[in-house]
Amino acid sequence: MLNFTDQYDIVLPALESKCAEFHYLQYDTVTPEELWQYCIKKKWKKKNIGEMRLHEMVNEIMEMTASEFVAFHQIEGLRGANFFSEGNLAELEQLLRPTPKKPTSI
């Protein structure tokens, strides 16, 4: 994956500002790097980041909402989760096992 480190260094003050805003809203674990990855993977997915103007990048960073970022972060977490790994297999079998029916008395 491309990092775009030159662009990152240029917009870092905007990312840090947005990060401080999210911390104020009690999203204390958000980092500028995570916000940058969100921009690359989601907001600018179909754009040529190397040709974006500085004001476009800063504007989109500053318009970002916490709910957008959190939703993206949750989806990314689910994509990376392997629900069929060895550790989760027992739990999955327990969930999918039918419950035995109790005999009914007449």
Side-chain angles (χ1 to χ4, degrees):
M1 178 189 346
L2 300 172
N3 289 329
F4 301 104
T5 54
D6 292 339
Q7 291 87 348
Y8 174 81
D9 291 339
I10 292 170
V11 298
L12 184 58
L15 292 167
E16 289 172 339
S17 175
K18 184 53 73 169
C19 201
E21 177 187 327
F22 285 2
H23 289 182
Y24 178 77
L25 297 172
Q26 305 300 315
Y27 295 102
D28 298 327
T29 60
V30 177
T31 65
E33 294 82 14
E34 290 174 327
L35 295 177
W36 179 249
Q37 289 302 316
Y38 165 74
C39 289
I40 290 174
K41 291 180 181 178
K42 180 71 175 172
K43 286 185 97 52
W44 305 330
K45 185 177 182 177
K46 296 180 181 180
K47 294 183 179 184
N48 184 347
I49 297 169
E51 294 181 6
M52 284 181 72
R53 295 180 178 263
L54 175 61
H55 71 274
E56 290 178 274
M57 296 175 94
V58 170
N59 186 49
E60 290 192 20
I61 290 169
M62 299 314 288
E63 285 181 343
M64 185 188 321
T65 65
S67 60
E68 290 174 336
F69 174 76
V70 169
F72 169 79
H73 204 267
Q74 288 175 335
I75 291 169
E76 286 294 303
L78 290 174
R79 284 184 182 161
N82 185 356
F83 295 109
F84 301 106
S85 68
E86 195 63 38
N88 292 334
L89 198 53
E91 291 179 28
L92 184 62
E93 288 175 1
Q94 182 68 26
L95 285 171
L96 298 177
R97 182 179 306 140
T99 56
K101 291 187 177 185
K102 295 180 181 179
T104 58
S105 56
I106 298 181

